[in-house]
Amino acid sequence: MVAVVAAVPVTACGSGREAVERPAPARNDGQQADPAVEGRAAEKAALDAYSGYLAASRTASRRSDPHASELSRFLADPLLTRVRASIREAKEHGAMRTGTLKSDPTVTAVSLDSTPATVEIQDCVDASGYRLVYAKDQRVVPGSGGGRYLATATATRYPDGRWLINASAAHRDQPC
């Protein structure tokens, strides 16, 4: 059940918006779009997707709903499958997530020339107020403690223009 926190650093932070904005496409009038503008748009779209991922994961974990529709609005495989499996596992053991988790994400790399385009995100997650508890009596599941640690994620631009989070890792051995 500790895998839920490792796979899903979920939080109350973020915009909770359901649409992830796309960077502006290249102009068709012979002029190229400004790479700096495209980069900033990609950063914003990726951070919006990350915030949506955290909010959707938190909501789905609190409701013990591994098939919550909001998950697929912000996540893609293989992460989507991992998150759903973690929520399902917690539910099967009678547990759910509660509390708040603080997040302070920053973009560390933008690769718009790669196929597909990606944005790397680094986050300092504070899980000290976020717990895995038994749903029946709200007792904390042993070994599910929080703390502050580094988390990383990758946002990928898909052919339909959406930026989705498809990889995420908690680095509990790296405090921040």
Side-chain angles (χ1 to χ4, degrees):
M1 282 178 267
V2 176
V4 174
V5 173
V8 188
V10 292
T11 182
C13 298
S15 66
R17 287 184 278 206
E18 297 195 10
V20 177
E21 297 178 22
R22 302 176 199 157
R27 296 172 53 159
N28 291 331
D29 61 4
Q31 294 180 334
Q32 293 294 322
D34 182 351
V37 171
E38 285 187 31
R40 285 190 300 274
E43 286 183 23
K44 181 182 181 327
L47 288 172
D48 286 349
Y50 184 74
S51 292
Y53 149 56
L54 296 176
S57 297
R58 190 187 108 238
T59 299
S61 294
R62 185 179 55 241
R63 293 188 320 224
S64 297
D65 182 5
H67 297 289
S69 62
E70 60 265 19
L71 291 172
S72 61
R73 290 185 193 129
F74 302 103
L75 287 95
D77 280 325
L79 183 59
L80 178 59
T81 297
R82 280 183 35 220
V83 167
R84 285 180 169 161
S86 294
I87 294 169
R88 186 178 314 108
E89 180 181 344
K91 181 179 181 177
E92 288 170 357
H93 288 92
M96 60 181 259
R97 293 269 167 204
T98 187
T100 59
L101 185 117
K102 297 177 184 169
S103 170
D104 186 24
T106 59
V107 170
T108 57
V110 176
S111 182
L112 297 178
D113 294 332
S114 64
T115 303
T118 60
V119 174
E120 299 299 323
I121 298 169
Q122 181 173 298
D123 195 358
C124 180
V125 174
D126 182 355
S128 57
Y130 195 62
R131 298 280 186 237
L132 184 64
V133 299
Y134 292 108
K136 186 176 184 178
D137 58 13
Q138 301 295 300
R139 284 184 305 122
V140 174
V141 174
S144 66
R148 289 175 55 95
Y149 55 88
L150 177 71
T152 55
T154 301
T156 300
R157 184 172 55 204
Y158 283 78
D160 64 2
R162 293 183 306 152
W163 286 88
L164 301 172
I165 306 300
N166 64 349
S168 180
H171 306 279
R172 294 185 173 280
D173 60 332
Q174 297 180 34
C176 54

